[in-house]
């Protein structure tokens, strides 16, 4: 969880305190999925992506924040302090400034992070607060803080506005930009699931939060057979429908559970969670994750 090549977590946190919510350039976070970092570096050099990102972020600066202030509720020390304290905990764990959180009235189990790397915020749907325990919500907010910590925010904002307002942009820009951004986003989600686990310090809690996203039913949560859910990944490997994931912004949920389990085996995580000093290297973790999340081959 410290800088690459180091597991001095406490020293890392001390160095990060007081820094902006953007979390630097994201290249020094030892828990980050290597394909997230490499893919982002690669498409930053692609002209269509660059143009689309610039346009989308410009739109955010003029519209996005005022829109939220008009229809959502801003969380703070005196407004939903319980949720605010969860954000403070996650921010301290990752060593970023405490992000602004808005509660949005929505029946969908979801949360998202938008803005720029200098001015980012987290939206939490009200249904998520109703369905999730505080520990599970901690994992979700930690996931979103992971986007901030790894400087994902500007690209998430680009995807959001390109999806909502694609007709504004020239088609030859939108197509390759969205394909590149979606491919990167699936890898970025792996990084941020790890951030959520680092904040929650419980694999059971973090995997339960992920499976609740698939169910959305309070009557079924306690009956879920996690191993049977994960087996769905093997069942779908050979079907042609798996290629639909190419345009998805998130890996399929069983893959995310398997990828998170691999990270939980790492020395980095076990040291952080107080589970001892033995564990596999991050290189070994990422090799396992490559095999899990790949769509082709």
């Amino acid at each position: 969880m410290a800088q690459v090549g180091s597991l001095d977590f406490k020293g890392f946190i001390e160095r990060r305190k007081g820094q902006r919510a953007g979390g630097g350039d994201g290249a020094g976070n030892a828990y980050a999925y290597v394909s997230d970092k490499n893919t982002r570096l690669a498409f930053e050099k692609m002209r269509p992506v660059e143009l689309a990102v610039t346009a989308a972020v410009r739109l955010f600066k003029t519209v996005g924040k005022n829109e939220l202030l008009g229809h959502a509720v801003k969380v703070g020390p005196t407004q939903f302090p319980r949720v605010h304290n969860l954000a403070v905990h996650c921010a301290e764990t990752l060593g970023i400034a405490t992000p602004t959180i808005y509660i949005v009235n929505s029946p969908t189990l979801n949360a998202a992070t938008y803005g720029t790397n200098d001015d980012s915020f987290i939206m939490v749907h009200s249904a998520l607060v109703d369905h999730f325990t505080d520990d599970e919500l901690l994992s979700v907010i930690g996931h979103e803080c992971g986007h901030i910590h790894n400087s994902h925010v500007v690209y998430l904002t680009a995807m959001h506005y390109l999806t909502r307002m694609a007709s504004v942009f020239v088609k030859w820009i939108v197509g390759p930009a969205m394909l590149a951004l979606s491919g990167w986003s699936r890898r970025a989600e792996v990084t941020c699931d790890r951030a959520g686990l680092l904040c929650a310090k419980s694999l059971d809690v973090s995997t339960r939060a992920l499976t609740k996203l698939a169910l959305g039913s309070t009557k079924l949560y306690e009956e879920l057979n996690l191993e049977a859910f994960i087996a769905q990944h093997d069942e779908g490997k050979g079907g042609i429908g798996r290629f639909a994931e190419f345009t998805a912004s998130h890996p399929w949920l069983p893959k995310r559970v398997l990828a998170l389990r691999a990270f939980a085996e790492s020395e980095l995580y076990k040291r952080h969670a107080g589970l001892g000093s033995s564990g596999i290297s991050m290189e070994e973790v990422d090799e396992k994750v490559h095999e899990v999340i790949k769509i082709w081959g």
Side-chain angles (χ1 to χ4, degrees):
M1 178 77 194
Q3 293 178 329
V4 172
S6 169
L7 293 173
D8 180 14
F9 182 76
K10 289 184 178 179
F12 168 71
I13 292 301
E14 289 302 317
R15 291 192 295 274
R16 298 295 303 188
K17 281 184 178 177
Q19 293 192 10
R20 63 181 174 82
D25 65 4
N29 301 329
Y31 68 88
Y33 179 34
V34 66
S35 288
D36 162 21
K37 294 185 285 187
N38 291 344
T39 303
R40 180 158 49 92
L41 289 172
F43 73 56
E44 281 174 353
K45 299 176 182 178
M46 296 171 59
R47 183 64 175 168
V49 176
E50 179 187 344
L51 292 173
V53 168
T54 299
V57 172
R58 186 182 299 119
L59 182 61
F60 157 74
K61 287 182 177 179
T62 59
V63 177
K65 207 165 187 180
N66 284 342
E67 184 181 356
L68 263 183
L69 288 168
H71 70 75
V73 181
K74 186 178 180 180
V75 174
T78 60
Q79 184 74 276
F80 311 132
R82 179 174 58 85
V83 178
H84 174 72
N85 288 337
L86 296 177
V88 170
H89 173 83
C90 291
E92 289 178 349
T93 297
L94 298 178
I96 62 173
T98 302
T100 301
I101 293 182
Y102 294 89
I103 303 295
V104 179
N105 183 2
S106 173
T108 306
L109 299 180
N110 196 21
T113 304
Y114 298 121
T116 67
N117 287 329
D118 294 307
D119 186 12
S120 48
F121 59 87
I122 296 171
M123 295 192 307
V124 176
H125 289 192
S126 54
L128 202 69
V129 181
D130 292 341
H131 283 243
F132 281 35
T133 67
D134 281 4
D135 286 342
E136 292 161 356
L137 196 56
L138 186 69
S139 182
V140 172
I141 293 174
H143 173 107
E144 299 303 326
C145 285
H147 284 307
I148 298 171
H149 189 213
N150 290 277
S151 298
H152 293 162
V153 182
V154 69
Y155 296 101
L156 296 174
T157 304
M159 290 183 68
H160 174 67
Y161 281 107
L162 284 172
T163 301
R164 288 179 59 186
M165 304 185 69
S167 62
V168 174
F169 305 102
V170 180
K171 288 184 178 179
W172 69 267
I173 293 177
V174 173
M178 283 303 296
L179 190 61
L181 287 167
S182 295
W184 159 75
S185 178
R186 292 191 298 275
R187 293 157 177 80
E189 290 300 308
V190 172
T191 292
C192 294
D193 284 343
R194 295 173 181 180
L197 179 56
L198 288 167
C199 292
K201 293 185 180 180
S202 169
L203 181 62
D204 287 343
V205 166
S206 291
T207 53
R208 190 167 63 244
L210 287 173
T211 54
K212 279 189 173 184
L213 295 175
L215 278 174
S217 168
T218 55
K219 293 182 178 181
L220 295 176
Y221 292 147
E222 297 304 320
E223 299 178 37
L224 178 72
N225 182 324
L226 183 58
E227 299 309 316
F229 176 70
I230 292 171
Q232 295 175 192
H233 168 58
D234 290 329
E235 187 178 344
K237 275 183 179 179
I240 194 169
R242 72 186 189 278
F243 296 116
E245 194 179 0
F246 273 121
T247 59
S249 61
H250 293 56
W252 298 154
L253 281 165
K255 291 185 176 184
R256 291 174 66 182
V257 173
L258 288 169
L260 198 57
R261 281 183 168 182
F263 177 64
E265 296 174 16
S266 69
E267 179 188 358
L268 188 156
Y269 171 70
K270 288 185 176 181
R271 281 182 180 271
H272 170 66
L275 301 175
S277 58
S278 63
I280 63 176
S281 69
M282 288 307 299
E283 289 79 9
E284 292 172 289
V285 170
D286 285 342
E287 286 177 8
K288 288 188 174 187
V289 172
H290 292 329
E291 290 301 309
V292 168
I293 72 163
K294 68 181 182 181
I295 301 172
W296 180 271

